[in-house]
């Protein structure tokens, strides 16, 4: 077979395979017709959970939607994401944390901080004005038992019907995964940090 | 033991554990001192790869950095992310795709489109003006063999020393993972789409 005949054949196989694939994908699109607010959980120990939520914030703002963000653990207010999004008129941004639990080393203080933060989140979860709500690092408040699990899960489910909600953080509880529409688990295959590269502005904060 | 004594004990254990954890974390921070441009690969079949890259775009812009984005597969220009970021003076945004390979069904056309897109990317990868470059869905161009693997990998490594680079897409090649500083694999545990919920504005595009 000449080179050109081989190429032609490869191109033809490609076309046939892709026709079949397109038919499958078109059929799934036709089946997927429901429009409603979705609950997304982005968990796992890899890099990209919060940034993934922030990417959805950008998408939503790009479509003219209203967004509310609660950051539950972080206390620093010098992050790129806050500087960038909090200036946007359609985005409400709250830094509600006291630092990670190993920074505070004080469980009762963490619980008080968590409860105060949760009230801010409840203001969003009961208000249909917010098209997208991000509860960044909420999972820790559940796994450390700083908030009552049933109260939180019920509130997530009782939010306005068309409100999208993104919850991030490691070790999402099974009960939270159960009520979610989409769950992504980010696995840390390799991290610059463990190779001695420090946290980089614009990438890590 | 009274309830209050139990609580006191739990709080004290918590404090001791968290002191130990803080010491470990402070030691890793002290070890991680290198500052340099990092190469991040966000791969896997789960939702959140591109949005994670867009979250880093927001972070970088929030710090006043310059960003360049190439979208290799997407051809649609009605996405929230493009509307949002392409309006920003420090962000250059290129939609370089023709749709997924099952949309075009034409391998030679895909190769031509990929090569044209790659030239745009090369303009960024050779210019230290860009602090962060995102090559969204580049992995497909390598796994479908639309671009020469060695040429691409060499160019990614030869970029300016302080330039951060994010590559997204499913099925990242082992060779690409090898040269990356950070690799996150996003596993699709559950997806709204397969439950019959269609792609949602502000979340999926």
């Amino acid at each position: 077979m000449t080179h050109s005949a081989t190429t032609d054949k490869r191109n033809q196989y490609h076309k046939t395979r892709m026709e079949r694939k397109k038919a499958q994908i078109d059929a799934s699109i036709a089946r997927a017709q429901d429009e409603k607010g979705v609950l997304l959980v982005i968990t796992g120990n890899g890099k990209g959970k919060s940034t993934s939520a922030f990417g959805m914030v950008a998408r939503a703002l790009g479509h003219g939607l209203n967004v509310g963000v609660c950051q539950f653990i972080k206390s620093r207010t010098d992050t790129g994401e806050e500087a960038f999004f909090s200036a946007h008129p359609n985005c409400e941004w709250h830094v509600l944390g006291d630092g990670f639990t190993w920074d505070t080393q004080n469980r009762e203080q963490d619980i008080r901080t968590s409860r105060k933060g949760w009230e801010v989140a409840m203001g969003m979860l009961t208000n249909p004005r917010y098209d997208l709500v991000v509860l960044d690092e909420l999972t820790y408040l559940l796994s450390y038992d700083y908030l009552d699990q049933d109260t939180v899960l019920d509130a997530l489910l009782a939010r306005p019907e068309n409100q999208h909600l993104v919850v991030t953080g490691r070790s999402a509880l099974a009960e939270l995964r159960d009520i979610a529409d989409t769950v992504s688990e980010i696995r840390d295959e390799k991290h610059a940090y463990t190779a001695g590269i420090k946290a980089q502005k614009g990438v890590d904060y």
Side-chain angles (χ1 to χ4, degrees), chain A:
Chain A
M1 206 185 288
T2 65
H3 170 76
S4 156
T6 316
T7 304
D8 285 353
K9 202 156 182 182
R10 186 169 180 192
N11 288 342
Q12 187 49 50
Y13 280 147
H14 176 89
K15 185 164 163 39
T16 310
R17 255 196 333 270
M18 291 306 146
E19 278 167 3
R20 247 181 255 138
K21 181 151 187 176
K22 182 166 164 51
Q24 286 171 0
I25 287 172
D26 287 349
S28 348
I29 291 172
R31 278 195 305 273
Q33 289 300 350
D34 288 2
E35 222 168 314
K36 66 156 201 152
V38 288
L39 167 52
L40 302 101
V41 172
I42 318 281
T43 189
N45 61 359
K47 175 175 174 50
K49 297 182 287 296
S50 297
T51 46
S52 178
F54 303 152
M56 287 183 256
V57 170
R59 278 192 168 155
L61 294 174
H63 286 298
L65 304 178
N66 289 309
V67 179
V69 177
C70 294
Q71 292 195 287
F72 282 104
I73 300 288
K74 277 202 192 74
S75 57
R76 68 190 293 178
T77 54
D78 62 343
T79 62
E81 59 267 28
E82 194 195 358
F84 188 67
F85 286 119
S86 65
H88 196 286
N90 291 354
C91 186
E92 205 182 305
W93 193 280
H94 295 275
V95 177
L96 300 165
D98 250 352
F100 278 95
T101 191
W102 53 85
D103 290 321
T104 65
Q105 301 175 8
N106 183 329
R107 195 169 173 274
E108 301 221 309
Q109 180 190 326
D110 287 350
I111 291 176
R112 279 194 305 273
T113 307
S114 301
R115 287 188 182 154
K116 269 183 14 203
W118 178 246
E119 280 174 34
V120 178
M122 277 303 288
M124 296 178 176
L125 293 171
T126 53
N127 186 345
R129 196 192 149 272
Y130 297 91
D131 302 298
L132 169 67
V133 173
V134 173
L135 304 181
D136 187 38
E137 299 184 317
L138 177 71
T139 59
Y140 303 100
L141 278 56
L142 295 174
S143 55
Y144 277 111
D145 215 12
Y146 291 165
L147 293 175
D148 178 66
Q149 185 183 316
D150 291 325
T151 309
V152 170
L153 296 182
D154 288 350
L156 302 188
L157 276 175
R159 73 190 192 284
E161 197 185 338
N162 292 313
Q163 187 178 84
H164 301 302
L165 172 61
V166 184
V167 175
T168 73
R170 293 185 181 210
S171 315
L173 297 178
E175 291 80 359
L176 174 59
R177 295 170 192 246
D178 285 346
I179 65 167
D181 300 292
T182 295
V183 179
S184 291
E185 169 101 24
I186 307 191
R187 204 171 58 79
D188 183 22
E189 186 172 308
K190 193 197 264 191
H191 200 301
Y193 191 73
T194 50
I197 299 167
K198 69 178 190 174
Q200 303 285 312
K201 194 186 275 193
V203 170
D204 297 303
Y205 65 93

